[in-house]
């Protein structure tokens, strides 16, 4: 997938990884970038079209669909990470609402445009989809679910010509990881690695040093082999 001349929608585009993805898409010559944000956004680049978009708000998703005529790439980036210990059901529900049902709702809504363009979906999940950090277990549950959703949609949408990618992002230096004293990748380098991987046609993307350290074993491991074996049933 080439970013040059393409039309892209990024959710959670106002800060962190979302903002870096918008800037990197512009650098690579995207024709138009729809920037989904909950609060009003200004960007001096004429190719950026701000869209009010809370991914848990069905009416706002519908409005966004009306505004986006054609779309080559949907990047489900918006996400919520709460510190919890799984004693609070509301924390789990909120995590699933944003991190699982958010991307789910966006994908279902934008499928007509993506099918018309033979486009792609990128779900920014997390390395925690493979193994939880038990400081944010509700988040990890929601990301594991979002990854599984990605794997099924990959099989289900292949026949329509829509590719579905997962990004198994590791620690990145954004508001989300503030206070964690661990090595972190810059959001700019992660955004670059995501688009490079799309260019190379990688379906599961490991865009930072920590996630890259498990990429090879994931790709050649039994879980990936099973995903491929079971995909043929569709
Ligand atoms: N940073 C990491 O280490 C890391 C690692 C793995 C995966 N990720 C994933 O990468 C994505 C981006 O994270 P980040 O690090 O850039 O985090 P961040 O700096 O905390 O930004 C989160 C973004 O998501 C938006 N958002 C939250 N809830 C939303 C909702 N209901 N509707 C629409 N937008 C919503 C926020 O908008 P507001 O400004 O309005 O709150 C913000 O733009 C997330 O999906 C995260 O899980 C991050």
């Amino acid at each position: 997938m080439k970013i040059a001349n393409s039309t892209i929608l990024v959710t959670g585009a106002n800060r962190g990884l979302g903002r870096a993805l918008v800037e990197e898409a512009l650098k690579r010559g995207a024709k138009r970038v729809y920037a989904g944000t909950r609060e009003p956004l200004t960007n001096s680049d004429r190719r950026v079209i701000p869209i009010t978009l809370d991914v848990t708000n069905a009416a706002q998703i519908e409005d966004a669909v009306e505004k986006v005529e054609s779309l080559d790439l949907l990047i489900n980036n918006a996400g919520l990470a709460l510190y919890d210990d799984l004693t609070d059901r509301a924390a789990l529900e909120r995590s699933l609402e944003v991190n699982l049902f958010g991307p789910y709702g966006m994908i279902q809504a934008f499928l007509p445009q993506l099918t018309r363009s033979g486009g792609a979906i990128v779900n920014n999940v997390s390395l925690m989809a493979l193994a939880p950090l038990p400081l944010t277990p509700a988040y990890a549950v929601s990301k594991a679910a979002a990854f599984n959703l990605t794997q099924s949609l990959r099989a289900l949408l292949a026949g329509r010509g829509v590719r579905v990618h997962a990004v198994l992002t590791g620690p990145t230096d954004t508001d989300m990881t503030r206070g964690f004293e661990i090595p972190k990748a810059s959001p700019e380098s992660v955004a670059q690695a995501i688009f490079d991987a799309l260019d190379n046609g990688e379906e599961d993307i490991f865009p930072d040093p920590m996630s890259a350290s498990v990429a090879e074993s994931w790709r050649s491991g039994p879980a990936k082999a099973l995903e491929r074996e079971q995909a043929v049933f569709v």
Side-chain angles (χ1 to χ4, degrees), residues 11-19 36-39 53-57 76-81 94 97-99 124-128 139 143 167-177 184 187:
T11 65
N14 53 312
R15 58 191 171 101
L17 270 165
R19 184 167 61 193
T37 61
R38 294 194 287 186
E39 298 296 327
L53 190 55
D54 181 323
V55 297
T56 66
N57 184 320
N76 284 307
N77 167 77
L80 171 75
R94 183 72 189 139
E97 193 187 3
V98 178
N99 299 335
N124 189 3
V125 290
S126 167
L127 203 48
M128 281 193 221
Y139 171 77
K143 291 293 186 173
V167 187
L168 291 125
T169 315
T172 307
D173 194 7
T174 67
D175 294 340
M176 194 173 274
T177 55
K184 298 172 205 171

Side-chain angles (χ1 to χ4, degrees), residues 92-160:
L92 185 56
E93 285 178 349
R94 183 72 189 139
S95 302
L96 289 167
E97 193 187 3
V98 178
N99 299 335
L100 175 68
F101 289 107
Y104 170 79
M106 288 292 294
I107 291 166
Q108 296 305 325
F110 282 95
L111 208 44
Q113 281 97 325
L114 291 166
T115 304
R116 274 200 299 277
S117 65
I121 297 163
V122 169
N123 291 334
N124 189 3
V125 290
S126 167
L127 203 48
M128 281 193 221
L130 301 184
L133 175 70
L135 295 172
T136 55
Y139 171 77
V141 168
S142 70
K143 291 293 186 173
F147 183 43
N148 204 278
L149 176 91
T150 305
Q151 291 172 300
S152 282
L153 285 172
R154 177 178 287 159
L156 290 164
L157 301 184
R160 293 182 183 223

